[in-house]
Amino acid sequence: MIEKLTDWKKIDPRYKIQESIESLALFLPLLLLGWLLFWSVPSLDSDILWIALIGLFVLFLFSMTLIPRRFRSFGYVLRENDLMFRHGIIFYRQVAVPYGRLQLVDISRGPIARILGLCELRLVTAAASTGVRIPGLSEAVAAELRDQLIGLAESRRVGL
C-alpha cells in the first residue's frame, strides 16, 4: 500500500486531548504553587509574584492555543523506498527513513496515551538524526504500521 507524497496520513484527533492534559499537568501545579505562595508568605514582593503568575498563565494559554496547530503539523506517508514524516510549526522537520536502514520499530504508551487508546511509534536507524517518533496513533494503526514497516525493512535488507 505505497502512496504518493500528497497522501499524507494524519494522527488521531485524540492526540489533542492528550496534549491538553499534559499541558495542564505541567502548568497547573506551577500556577497553584504560585497562588499558594502569594497568599501564605506575606513577606514576598507581591508585584513580582503577580507578574510571574500572569506570565505563567499567558504561557499556558499560548501553549493551549498552539495544540490544534501542532496536531495539524504531524503527518506521515509510506513511499516506495522510505517513510516520510513531517512535523513542526516554527522548526519544521521533514525526514525520510529508508526501509532498509530501519533497525528498530517500537510502540510505546504513556499513562495518558494508554487511557485514551493512543500509542507512539518510534523508528530507529543507525543514524541518530533520522530517528522518528510518530505520536498520537491509535493502537490498531500503530500495530499495523509497525508490522508493515518490519516487513518492508526485512525485504529491503535482503538486498544489502
Side-chain angles (χ1 to χ4, degrees):
M1 183 165 161
I2 309 300
E3 299 184 24
K4 297 182 289 186
L5 193 56
T6 58
D7 298 330
W8 290 97
K9 290 185 174 42
K10 294 290 185 181
I11 60 177
D12 196 295
R14 291 176 291 178
Y15 183 67
K16 291 186 272 190
I17 298 169
Q18 178 183 340
E19 284 282 303
S20 299
I21 292 170
E22 289 172 354
S23 268
L24 276 171
L26 174 69
F27 283 104
L28 195 59
L30 293 174
L31 288 169
L32 288 175
L33 179 66
W35 187 256
L36 285 173
L37 279 173
F38 179 76
W39 289 108
S40 63
V41 183
S43 63
L44 288 176
D45 187 3
S46 62
D47 291 340
I48 293 173
L49 194 55
W50 267 115
I51 291 170
L53 280 173
I54 290 170
L56 193 60
F57 186 70
V58 167
L59 191 61
F60 167 70
L61 290 178
F62 182 69
S63 171
M64 294 298 282
T65 58
L66 281 181
I67 288 173
R69 179 62 186 100
R70 253 191 334 252
F71 166 76
R72 287 191 308 270
S73 76
F74 284 100
Y76 66 95
V77 63
L78 298 174
R79 298 190 312 171
E80 187 68 35
N81 295 313
D82 56 18
L83 176 131
M84 287 287 291
F85 175 71
R86 68 175 184 197
H87 73 94
I89 301 171
I90 296 171
F91 298 100
Y92 181 77
R93 183 176 181 209
Q94 189 169 351
V95 180
V97 181
Y99 300 132
R101 302 287 182 204
L102 283 176
Q103 293 183 339
L104 173 72
V105 181
D106 180 35
I107 294 177
S108 62
R109 286 174 274 193
I112 297 168
R114 196 173 321 129
I115 290 168
L116 294 171
L118 296 175
C119 298
E120 175 180 279
L121 189 74
R122 284 187 329 121
L123 309 173
V124 179
T125 65
S129 63
T130 59
V132 170
R133 178 185 72 85
I134 305 174
L137 297 174
S138 69
E139 293 175 11
V141 169
E144 179 184 336
L145 190 56
R146 177 198 58 208
D147 294 342
Q148 188 175 9
L149 288 171
I150 289 171
L152 287 166
E154 289 173 355
S155 70
R156 297 302 196 280
R157 272 196 297 260
V158 171
L160 291 179

